[in-house]
């Protein structure tokens, strides 16, 4: 076993190589046609030693050999190909989805138990996925639970059920159940459409299957099923996800430009790539490269389709011979599969002679890393300089940290808007006002950190930045969608700034939404209006409106005793405004320290442009009220 381990580049980590997509047939099984009195069941005809044919009724279906049923043969071939673990699943011809439930369930149980029997002789290197009678969701859930208890790691299902795609409510319920059970799901194309037009040359396999798989993924995305399904569902699509990755651009384009192609999903199609895995069975180095670039290295897993003729000959050779960095190869060859399957990573890596480890969580339990998605997070830094400049990593990480805090700020400010609106709906209650003040205090504390954080970047010499700056153009802070969202959400809605987001339609759409939605500014003054503190006469000019709002604030401060809660909100908003100006100022100082008075990569005049933004305030009325107080 030790010899089989794929040695990782980092000395301390050994990653098992796991093949998540391959098939078995038991050596024999009962004559279903006789048992159920219905024709055209699959059966096995042994022809020569170690060889057999799968028949469906009278029709020849496929030649197979002993690796399908004999664990010894399989293990020898796994040794030959340096595969440590295989996850076996039945072949879709055994699904029986179009039969009565009792027959399909009986059949599923038989093959599920047969799979465990094979795994039992697999020296710990064979694991399995079960099959379920998908035509009956209750029975499917029950069989899945039974199988999980018995030792299966999840289920393999077909990509459709007759006319129903994967977004069928029953199938979505089943997927939900899989997430609850911690079961991995492998979706396999089957029963390909258009077969009457593809009678020859295995076209249903080479043309129909990729389209079927693509259809399965697209159905889950556009129907909004992924929005409803829990994020801990681990689902993988076979054969590299079929034609999905290659045609994702087409799908995205349709989503953006045709309302009818929009479906019911919350996000554009590209934003769902972190919801599923695909296997590596694409048989072409460039296709694998493209697949990994599209899906991300943490979303593709070794899958061979072994031991069938259409499977990978020399399992894993496509990944091993690819040009990916060794850390990425580790993920593709086994790291991702461990997560997908919920395998206990430590036990897989630990030899018997090693000292006992502290208590380890079960494979399906959360760990520090799995909860925080640490491996994915650490994969997200991609310096552009060649050879890589030492300081570019810092530059990336500092920006990413800002973006993470921007995300939290947006989240909290959305909470502030919700509290202020709740308060406007119920002006007598103080709870929502306290909640708004509490969240605003968090926002000011975060922003204080954001002001401070520039000092870290100032440890970078200007010459060091210039060494890789050329690689960044035309990327610029102008394109920080979240920064602009923050401005819009606080009330500084400048439609002109949308133009920097034209290249990214999702960001553009999100900013347009923010332009339409009530800002913190709107929600705050709506609440004062609901309290009877603010009335703006019809036809008032912009200046008169601002004046009326400032006087509403003034009235709060003048009656401190009755409005302590609201004054707290006002103080927090003022402080936030102040801190954002501090952020702008520190950013300008950083810019001047690093690039002097040069133009920005976004095409602005640089520091002199940024100085113009120092006058921007989210809540000018709060400042104006201070002038009025001294009247
Ligand atoms: C070497 C460090 C940096 C330099 C030289 C720099 C330079 C600039 C320049 C020149 C601009 C004006 C737009 C343009 O023409 O590109 C700008 C805008 C911006 N930068 Fe930076 N920046 C740096 C670091 C950062 C960091 C760490 C952040 C954190 C998120 C950031 C966020 C922004 C934002 C949000 C804008 C748009 C500001 C607005 O429109 O008001 N920058 N930056």
């Amino acid at each position: 076993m030790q010899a089989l381990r794929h040695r990782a580049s980092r000395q301390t980590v050994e990653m098992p190589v796991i093949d998540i997509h391959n098939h078995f047939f038991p050596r024999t099984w009962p004559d279903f046609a006789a048992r159920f009195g219905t024709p055209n069941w699959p059966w096995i005809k042994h022809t020569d030693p170690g060889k057999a044919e799968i028949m469906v009724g009278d029709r020849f279906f496929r030649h197979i050999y002993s690796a399908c049923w004999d664990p010894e043969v399989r293990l020898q071939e796994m040794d030959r190909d340096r595969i440590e673990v295989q996850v076996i699943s039945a072949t879709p011809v055994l699904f029986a989805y179009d039969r009565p439930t009792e027959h399909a369930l009986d059949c599923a149980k038989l093959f599920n138990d047969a799979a465990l029997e094979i795994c039992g002789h697999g020296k710990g290197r064979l694991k399995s996925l079960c099959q379920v009678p998908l035509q009956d969701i209750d029975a499917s859930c029950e069989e899945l639970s039974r199988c999980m208890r018995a030792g299966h790691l999840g289920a393999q299902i077909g990509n459709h059920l007759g006319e129903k795609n994967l977004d069928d409510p029953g199938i979505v319920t089943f997927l939900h159940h899989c997430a609850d059970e911690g079961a991995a799901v492998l979706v396999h194309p089957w029963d390909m459409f258009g077969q009457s037009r593809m009678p020859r040359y295995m076209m249903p396999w080479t043309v129909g299957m990729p389209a079927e798989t693509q259809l399965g993924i697209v159905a889950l995305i556009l129907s909004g099923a992924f929005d409803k399904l829990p994020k801990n569902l681990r689902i993988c699509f076979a054969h590299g996800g079929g034609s999905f990755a290659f045609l994702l651009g087409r799908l995205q384009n349709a989503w953006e430009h045709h309302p009818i192609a929009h479906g019911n999903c919350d996000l554009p199609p590209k934003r769902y790539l972190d919801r599923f895995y695909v296997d590596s069975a694409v048989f072409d180095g460039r296709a694998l490269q493209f697949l990994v670039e599209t899906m991300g290295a943490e979303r593709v897993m070794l899958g061979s389709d072994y031991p069938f003729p259409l499977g990978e000959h020399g399992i894993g050779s496509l990944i091993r011979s690819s040009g990916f960095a060794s850390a990425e190869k580790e993920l593709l060859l086994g790291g991702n599969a461990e997560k997908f399957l919920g395998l206990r990573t430590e036990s897989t890596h630990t030899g018997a002679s090693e000292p006992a480890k502290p208590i380890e969580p079960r494979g399906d339990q959360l760990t520090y890393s799995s909860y925080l998605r640490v491996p994915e997070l650490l994969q997200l830094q991609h310096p552009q300089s060649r050879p890589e400049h030492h300081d570019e990593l810092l530059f990336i990480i500092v920006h990413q940290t800002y973006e993470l805090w921007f995300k939290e700020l947006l989240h909290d400010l959305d909470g502030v808007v919700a509290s202020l609106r709740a308060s406007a709906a119920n002006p007598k209650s103080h709870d929502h006002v306290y909640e708004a003040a509490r969240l605003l205090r968090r926002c000011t504390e975060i922003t204080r950190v954001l002001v401070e954080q520039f000092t870290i970047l100032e440890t970078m010499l200007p010459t060091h930045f210039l060494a890789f700056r050329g690689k960044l153009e035309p990327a610029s802070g102008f394109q920080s969608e979240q920064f602009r969202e923050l401005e819009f959400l606080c009330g500084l809605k400048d439609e002109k700034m949308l133009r920097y987001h034209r290249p990214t339609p999702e960001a553009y759409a999100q900013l347009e939404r923010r332009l339409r939605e009530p800002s913190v500014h709107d929600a705050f003054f709506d609440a004062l209006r609901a309290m009877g503190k603010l009335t703006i006469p019809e036809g008032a000019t912009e200046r008169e409106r601002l004046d009326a709002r400032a006087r509403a604030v003034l009235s709060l401060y003048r009656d401190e005793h009755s409005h302590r809660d609201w004054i707290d909100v006002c103080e927090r908003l003022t402080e936030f405004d102040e801190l954002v100006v501090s952020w702008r100022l520190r950013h300008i100082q950083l810019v001047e320290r690093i690039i002097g008075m040069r133009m920005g990569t976004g095409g602005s005049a640089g520091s002199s442009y940024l100085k113009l933004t120092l006058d921007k305030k989210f809540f000018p009325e709060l400042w104006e009220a201070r002038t009025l107080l001294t009247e």
Side-chain angles (χ1 to χ4, degrees):
M1 191 98 143
Q2 196 68 14
L4 288 166
R5 286 204 176 115
H6 166 77
R7 282 233 164 242
S9 55
R10 277 167 285 155
Q11 291 295 306
T12 49
V13 181
E14 278 183 5
M15 195 66 77
V17 178
I18 304 174
D19 173 7
I20 59 105
H21 173 193
N22 54 84
H23 299 286
F24 76 96
F25 279 101
R27 189 189 295 271
T28 56
W29 62 88
D31 181 348
F32 285 134
R35 184 190 285 213
F36 301 125
T38 46
N40 296 328
W41 282 90
W43 56 284
I44 186 164
K45 179 159 90 181
H46 287 273
T47 47
D48 294 307
K51 294 204 171 133
E53 290 174 359
I54 296 297
M55 305 290 294
V56 177
D58 296 337
R59 184 168 54 85
F60 166 80
F61 176 71
R62 180 171 297 169
H63 291 290
I64 58 171
Y65 71 103
S66 52
C68 278
W69 62 81
D70 186 340
E72 274 307 314
V73 175
R74 186 178 281 262
L75 289 176
Q76 277 165 23
E77 299 197 343
M78 286 165 64
D79 287 352
R80 180 198 63 201
D81 291 347
R82 290 177 295 144
I83 305 299
E84 186 163 20
V85 176
Q86 276 197 331
V87 185
I88 61 173
S89 44
T91 307
V93 72
L94 305 175
F95 281 163
Y97 291 165
D98 54 350
R99 311 257 176 187
T101 301
E102 318 82 79
H103 300 177
L105 179 60
D106 202 15
C107 165
K109 284 186 168 162
L110 192 137
F111 290 117
N112 292 339
D113 294 347
L116 288 179
E117 163 108 35
I118 293 176
C119 293
H121 294 98
K123 303 190 173 141
R125 295 170 58 195
L126 299 181
K127 310 277 176 198
S128 56
L129 300 175
C130 66
Q131 69 178 67
V132 293
L134 206 56
Q135 60 272 59
D136 184 321
I137 297 307
D138 289 343
S140 293
C141 292
E142 214 169 293
E143 177 60 4
L144 178 91
S145 298
R146 183 188 79 89
C147 287
M148 291 300 286
R149 285 195 300 276
H152 287 270
L153 298 179
Q156 176 192 233
I157 59 170
N159 72 305
H160 69 102
L161 183 65
E163 296 299 302
K164 296 174 182 172
N165 286 319
L166 290 180
D167 60 328
D168 170 69
I171 301 180
V172 172
T173 303
F174 174 71
L175 293 176
H176 221 290
H177 183 72
C178 291
D180 292 345
E181 285 278 358
V185 182
L186 174 65
V187 179
H188 201 291
W190 83 300
D191 187 22
M192 287 69 83
F193 48 35
Q195 295 209 30
S196 58
R197 291 177 48 221
M198 300 188 260
R200 283 185 293 271
Y201 321 130
M202 287 201 82
M203 280 159 113
W205 277 260
T206 54
V207 179
M209 274 196 168
E212 285 283 3
T213 312
Q214 180 192 15
L215 176 56
I217 302 174
V218 172
L220 280 181
I221 293 177
L222 293 184
S223 65
F226 270 134
D227 301 312
K228 294 190 206 106
L229 282 164
K231 291 225 163 99
N232 65 344
L233 171 68
R234 295 179 255 120
I235 185 167
C236 173
F237 291 83
H239 311 139
S243 28
F244 175 80
F246 193 68
L247 296 177
L248 175 58
R250 185 173 174 81
L251 180 69
Q252 179 79 13
N253 183 54
W255 190 90
E256 279 158 18
H257 300 294
H258 290 282
I260 49 162
H262 233 258
N264 295 316
C265 49
D266 290 345
L267 302 168
K270 279 186 178 167
R271 297 274 288 267
Y272 290 89
L273 303 184
D274 62 350
R275 299 300 302 275
F276 59 94
Y277 295 84
V278 295
D279 75 16
S280 63
V282 292
F283 312 100
D284 179 281
R286 284 174 310 163
L288 182 67
Q289 175 83 27
F290 180 77
L291 187 65
V292 171
E293 276 167 19
T294 306
M295 294 294 302
E298 60 292 338
R299 292 277 143 197
V300 183
M301 299 181 284
L302 172 62
S304 65
D305 226 343
Y306 166 93
F308 297 148
L310 283 192
E312 185 180 18
H313 300 268
I315 307 171
S317 51
L318 190 65
I319 297 176
R320 287 192 174 106
S321 64
S322 69
F324 296 119
S326 58
E328 285 176 332
K329 282 187 188 173
E330 279 172 32
L331 290 176
L332 304 181
L333 286 169
N336 295 332
E338 286 192 316
K339 281 179 62 190
F340 169 67
L341 299 165
L343 289 177
R344 295 201 326 180
T345 50
E346 290 308 317
S347 67
T348 317
H349 296 168
T350 307
S353 57
E354 290 174 47
K357 291 264 189 307
I359 297 168
E360 291 161 2
R362 276 204 334 265
D364 57 353
Q365 284 178 332
L366 276 184
T367 62
Y368 176 89
S369 287
S370 66
Y371 176 58
L372 298 175
R373 314 282 296 259
V374 176
E376 290 93 328
L377 195 62
L378 301 184
Q379 287 289 321
L380 295 176
Q381 294 71 38
H382 301 282
Q384 299 291 311
S385 48
R386 296 286 178 277
E388 190 180 316
H389 191 286
H390 181 87
D391 280 5
E392 196 180 349
L393 185 64
L394 173 77
F395 186 79
I396 294 172
I397 288 180
V398 167
H399 278 83
Q400 287 182 336
T401 318
Y402 271 102
E403 289 295 335
L404 282 176
W405 282 122
F406 287 166
K407 180 172 181 173
E408 179 62 33
L409 278 176
L410 286 165
H411 182 58
D412 291 327
L413 289 167
D414 276 334
V416 171
V417 171
S419 298
L420 292 173
R421 296 183 78 183
S423 160
N426 185 1
K428 291 221 160 44
S429 157
H430 295 272
D431 285 355
H432 303 298
V433 191
Y434 291 134
E435 181 60 6
R438 190 183 71 82
L439 286 174
L440 279 166
R441 191 168 126 63
R442 181 181 300 161
C443 295
T444 55
E445 290 313 312
I446 293 172
T447 315
R448 216 182 296 285
V449 168
L450 297 189
V451 175
E452 278 305 307
Q453 215 174 259
F454 284 122
T455 55
I456 306 174
L457 205 48
E458 283 174 343
T459 60
M460 176 175 68
L461 292 178
T463 40
H464 291 187
F465 179 54
L466 288 178
F468 61 86
R469 187 186 191 228
K471 295 277 175 201
L472 310 184
E473 273 162 333
S476 145
F478 269 158
Q479 294 160 333
S480 166
E481 171 197 347
Q482 294 199 102
F483 179 81
R484 208 58 70 200
E485 256 191 83
L486 278 169
E487 284 197 335
F488 287 6
L489 175 56
C490 289
L492 267 180
K493 296 182 177 179
D494 184 352
E495 213 173 326
K496 289 197 297 299
M497 299 318 269
L498 285 182
R499 66 177 186 273
Y500 295 106
H501 301 277
R502 281 215 185 91
T504 44
E506 298 157 30
Y508 195 93
Q510 172 68 357
L511 284 168
E512 274 190 319
R513 185 170 74 75
R514 288 284 185 196
L515 276 182
R516 286 193 304 272
E517 285 180 358
S519 63
V520 178
H521 183 276
D522 298 331
F524 175 71
F525 286 105
D526 283 349
L528 295 196
R529 194 175 291 120
M531 284 163 67
K533 294 280 169 199
L534 171 64
T535 35
I536 298 183
E538 279 282 307
T541 64
E542 207 33 65
R543 178 66 235 184
E544 287 163 348
R545 284 164 187 274
L546 187 136
D547 218 42
R549 291 194 294 263
R551 286 187 184 282
V553 173
L554 184 67
S555 70
L556 298 175
Y557 279 87
R558 287 228 161 111
D559 186 4
E560 185 179 331
H561 181 70
S562 316
H563 299 303
R564 279 194 198 288
D565 52 351
W566 277 106
I567 290 177
D568 203 21
V569 171
C570 291
E571 287 297 292
R572 297 277 85 83
L573 289 173
T574 312
E575 195 177 353
F576 184 60
D577 223 355
E578 198 176 87
L579 283 162
V580 172
V581 176
S582 302
W583 184 92
R584 295 187 198 275
L585 187 62
R586 282 297 286 116
H587 176 245
I588 293 171
Q589 287 168 335
L590 166 81
V591 171
E592 290 190 355
R593 184 163 169 168
I594 306 266
I595 60 165
M597 303 307 286
R598 269 165 173 263
M599 279 180 68
T601 44
S604 83
S607 144
S608 52
Y609 158 79
L610 291 168
K611 281 183 182 156
L612 301 176
T613 66
L614 285 175
D615 288 335
K616 288 187 180 182
K617 287 215 166 61
F618 297 142
F619 312 102
E621 302 82 354
L622 293 173
W623 300 92
E624 179 69 13
R626 281 153 168 84
T627 314
L628 296 176
L629 266 174
T630 54
E631 265 178 0

